[in-house]
Amino acid sequence: MKNIRIVAIIPTFNRKESLREVLKSLALQRMEEKYCVETVVVVDGSSDGTMEMLLKEFPMIHIVNGDGSWWYTKCINAGLSKAKELDATFVLTLNDDVIFDSDYVANFIKYSSLGKDILIGSASFTQDKPHRITFSGIKRLVKWRLKEISYIPKFSTVNVDLLKGIQPSVNLSGRGLFFNLSVTDKIGIYDENLKQYSSDTDFSYRAYKDGMDVFVTYDSKIFENEKLTSKGALYNQVSFREYFRSLFNEYS
């Protein structure tokens, strides 16, 4: 009997092709019989045929419709509300531009017994080779410098096959974040004042400050399409003018 339900939440806006690849990755997951994965896609006003693709190719998923002004954080919160309706035990938040191997979810489950209220984040890498690491976990904060100290320097070229195991992390990325839904009963949902970015980091940091178990695992790897990453990322080499404008944009 499948009595442990994992609900994957994927916010999306006009990324039909990359979203399809995420859903294919989920469909190929190998897990124990007692676990099942249901998928919630939050479509925030897409106009690129996303809805038609979902209804035709993935009729079993749950769709939540935004009005085009929800952005990332409100989409995640709408997905969390749907996860409660579906009696989820665990939630997995995913970006719409990632892919992963067939043991991705099983590796999260492997570590889920380490704590009652637990959050486990993915190590993330670029899809393009040679792979560069985009998130390796945060081993400490240097508050007076407003600086996070990563386990592996960001954008380093790495051999992904050599990275394994789990480490404590001060905060996590929401690109691939697995947690007990009960966490939200204790620390609340994502902060909608952070409309597009940093609400995932804030959510996991609040859990860390509350004494919950927060880890990053190198076993559940995700590979992100860095070409779709938002403006402002170092590897997109935006102009200084674009970067400066982003500092004053509430969606940046």
Side-chain angles (χ1 to χ4, degrees), residues 113-126:
S113 61
L114 290 177
K116 180 181 178 183
D117 295 311
I118 190 168
L119 297 87
I120 311 172
S122 297
S124 61
F125 308 85
T126 61

Side-chain angles (χ1 to χ4, degrees), residues 83-100:
K84 287 190 175 183
E85 290 179 22
L86 295 171
D87 295 322
T89 307
F90 297 101
V91 166
L92 171 62
T93 68
L94 291 165
N95 278 18
D96 62 2
D97 62 348
V98 301
I99 55 175
F100 38 86

Side-chain angles (χ1 to χ4, degrees), residues 105-117:
V105 176
N107 283 324
F108 279 129
I109 294 168
K110 177 175 68 176
Y111 292 118
S112 64
S113 61
L114 290 177
K116 180 181 178 183
D117 295 311

Side-chain angles (χ1 to χ4, degrees), residues 191-202:
D191 184 354
E192 292 187 12
N193 289 312
L194 302 169
K195 296 181 180 181
Q196 179 67 359
Y197 301 107
S198 299
S199 59
D200 50 354
T201 303
D202 170 76

Side-chain angles (χ1 to χ4, degrees), residues 3-244:
N3 55 3
I4 301 177
R5 182 170 295 173
I6 301 162
V7 172
I9 301 171
I10 310 171
T12 191
F13 175 72
N14 283 349
R15 285 185 176 176
K16 177 180 69 173
E17 300 303 328
S18 62
L19 174 63
R20 180 187 285 117
E21 297 308 308
V22 185
L23 296 173
K24 286 180 180 178
S25 291
L26 278 173
L28 294 173
Q29 294 304 294
R30 298 193 301 257
M31 292 181 298
E32 297 177 29
E33 281 295 317
K34 64 181 179 179
Y35 291 94
C36 68
V37 176
E38 296 197 41
T39 303
V40 174
V41 176
V42 185
V43 183
D44 191 24
S46 292
S47 58
D48 66 342
T50 291
M51 285 294 297
E52 293 80 1
M53 181 272 290
L54 292 175
L55 294 171
K56 179 180 179 181
E57 300 179 29
F58 302 95
M60 298 300 292
I61 70 166
H62 304 273
I63 299 173
V64 176
N65 286 300
D67 62 10
S69 66
W70 283 12
W71 295 81
Y72 174 82
T73 303
K74 190 169 182 177
C75 286
I76 288 289
N77 286 340
L80 289 171
S81 179
K82 187 66 177 179
K84 287 190 175 183
E85 290 179 22
L86 295 171
D87 295 322
T89 307
F90 297 101
V91 166
L92 171 62
T93 68
L94 291 165
N95 278 18
D96 62 2
D97 62 348
V98 301
I99 55 175
F100 38 86
D101 294 335
S102 58
D103 59 354
Y104 177 71
V105 176
N107 283 324
F108 279 129
I109 294 168
K110 177 175 68 176
Y111 292 118
S112 64
S113 61
L114 290 177
K116 180 181 178 183
D117 295 311
I118 190 168
L119 297 87
I120 311 172
S122 297
S124 61
F125 308 85
T126 61
Q127 288 181 22
D128 282 353
K129 295 180 180 180
H131 295 301
R132 290 169 290 160
I133 197 155
T134 55
F135 184 77
S136 62
I138 306 301
K139 58 183 176 181
R140 70 178 187 276
L141 298 178
V142 183
K143 292 185 178 179
W144 68 273
R145 293 176 60 195
L146 300 178
K147 185 174 180 62
E148 298 175 332
I149 307 300
S150 300
Y151 283 101
I152 303 170
K154 200 170 185 180
F155 310 127
S156 297
T157 300
V158 293
N159 184 336
V160 297
D161 296 328
L162 298 179
L163 293 173
K164 299 180 185 299
I166 191 168
Q167 297 278 5
S169 185
V170 175
N171 57 49
L172 298 168
S173 165
R175 293 187 197 98
L177 175 57
F178 183 89
F179 58 92
N180 297 76
L181 185 56
S182 59
V183 166
T184 61
D185 296 329
K186 299 181 179 180
I187 64 168
I189 56 178
Y190 282 35
D191 184 354
E192 292 187 12
N193 289 312
L194 302 169
K195 296 181 180 181
Q196 179 67 359
Y197 301 107
S198 299
S199 59
D200 50 354
T201 303
D202 170 76
F203 177 76
S204 54
Y205 183 63
R206 281 189 278 132
Y208 171 82
K209 293 289 286 183
D210 198 59
M212 296 181 186
D213 296 297
V214 181
F215 297 98
V216 62
T217 178
Y218 303 107
D219 297 334
S220 293
K221 299 176 175 70
I222 57 172
F223 298 87
E224 60 172 308
N225 187 337
E226 67 274 19
K227 295 181 179 66
L228 296 179
T229 301
S230 61
K231 287 184 177 180
L234 294 181
Y235 42 65
N236 278 339
Q237 298 181 343
V238 298
S239 68
F240 177 77
R241 181 180 180 184
E242 287 178 293
Y243 174 74
F244 186 77

